[in-house]
Amino acid sequence: MTIGAPVMTDGDSEDRKAGVQAMPAFVRPADADDLLLRRIGCGEEAAFRALVERHIDRAYALALRILQNGADAEDVVQETLLKIWNGRGSWEEGRARFSTWLYRVVTNRCLDIRRQPRMEEMEAAPEVADGQPDALTSLHRHEVSDLLQKAMDRLPDQQRVAIILSYFDDLGNAEIAEVMETTVSAVESLLKRGRQALRKLLNRAERDIRQSFTDD
């Protein structure tokens, strides 16, 4: 995945030429982000490239988990990261951590997309190679993963996002509250209701599968 013209691609030598030096080991991630954002505010393309490299993988993983569509996830991340370059110089240091802002913008944009009407895509069943020793195990794992994803898709958006941020991105409740612009108690409630709903959905799916094998 690439981010367009502002990103330089000639390696570390270009970073050094543009004045972006490697961050000392003792610099906290949030401080490193602020330093890069200051340099981006001065128009340093290599600083933008460095910031993108620090955050693009996690931003894409978050968007993909919410949208379940690689092309849409790439579009969301590219749009979000280009906002940084296009709005360079407007970042208010100390107002929020950059990572929190990034998660919030990516999450909100993904939810906007999920609310839009769209054509349902047909997903092809995975092919299992003949004679593969763990073919049955692989198929079982795929089915379990598919069931979980379908159950996640049926959750209300706010519950779904809270669970993704908690269990997949390993954020604490306070961080999730910042990203979702709500309270810690509201996050705790979303997680509790989301877990309860998932258990019911998965139990129901398990019963349906057992019933399908016993029906004449």
Side-chain angles (χ1 to χ4, degrees):
M1 178 179 175
T2 56
I3 297 291
V7 183
M8 302 175 74
T9 57
D10 293 328
D12 294 339
S13 60
E14 291 293 344
D15 288 353
R16 287 193 293 271
K17 290 176 185 177
V20 176
Q21 301 173 351
M23 299 295 174
F26 58 82
V27 175
R28 296 183 306 169
D31 293 337
D33 289 340
D34 284 340
L35 178 57
L36 288 172
L37 286 162
R38 268 183 249 130
R39 292 174 173 174
I40 292 169
C42 296
E44 293 187 18
E45 294 179 351
F48 175 71
R49 174 178 178 267
L51 190 73
V52 167
E53 289 178 349
R54 284 170 61 84
H55 294 280
I56 191 169
D57 288 342
R58 292 191 70 184
Y60 176 74
L62 172 62
L64 185 61
R65 289 185 190 112
I66 297 175
L67 296 174
Q68 291 300 305
N69 181 296
D72 286 347
E74 286 191 10
D75 288 345
V76 166
V77 175
Q78 179 156 329
E79 176 185 322
T80 302
L81 292 172
L82 284 177
K83 280 184 179 180
I84 304 162
W85 179 256
N86 294 332
R88 56 190 177 278
S90 61
W91 178 259
E92 295 182 28
E93 205 170 313
R95 186 174 180 181
R97 289 196 308 171
F98 173 75
S99 58
T100 300
W101 175 89
L102 181 65
Y103 269 52
R104 182 184 302 147
V105 174
V106 169
T107 297
N108 289 339
R109 182 64 186 126
C110 288
L111 292 179
D112 286 342
I113 291 174
R114 280 178 59 84
R115 294 182 189 114
Q116 295 171 359
R118 59 183 177 179
M119 296 292 292
E120 294 295 330
E121 296 181 356
M122 297 295 292
E123 295 184 0
E127 295 183 3
V128 180
D130 292 337
Q132 185 177 341
D134 60 343
L136 189 59
T137 300
S138 297
L139 181 60
H140 177 69
R141 287 175 180 170
H142 174 82
E143 289 173 342
V144 169
S145 177
D146 189 52
L147 280 174
L148 178 59
Q149 187 55 57
K150 286 179 179 177
M152 289 281 289
D153 285 342
R154 294 182 63 181
L155 294 179
D157 283 342
Q158 296 298 309
Q159 291 179 19
R160 187 166 186 265
V161 168
I163 286 177
I164 287 171
L165 293 174
S166 177
Y167 291 98
F168 292 94
D169 290 288
D170 200 29
L171 298 188
N173 289 356
E175 292 176 287
I176 297 172
E178 281 191 73
V179 171
M180 299 183 71
E181 298 182 283
T182 187
T183 63
V184 172
S185 60
V187 169
E188 291 171 349
S189 177
L190 287 170
L191 290 172
K192 180 178 179 180
R193 286 184 282 130
R195 287 192 295 264
Q196 290 172 342
L198 276 178
R199 279 196 292 269
K200 289 179 182 178
L201 289 167
L202 292 172
N203 286 339
R204 188 179 309 155
E206 185 181 355
R207 287 196 302 271
D208 290 344
I209 290 171
R210 286 201 302 265
Q211 184 67 33
S212 70
F213 282 103
T214 57
D215 286 343
D216 292 331

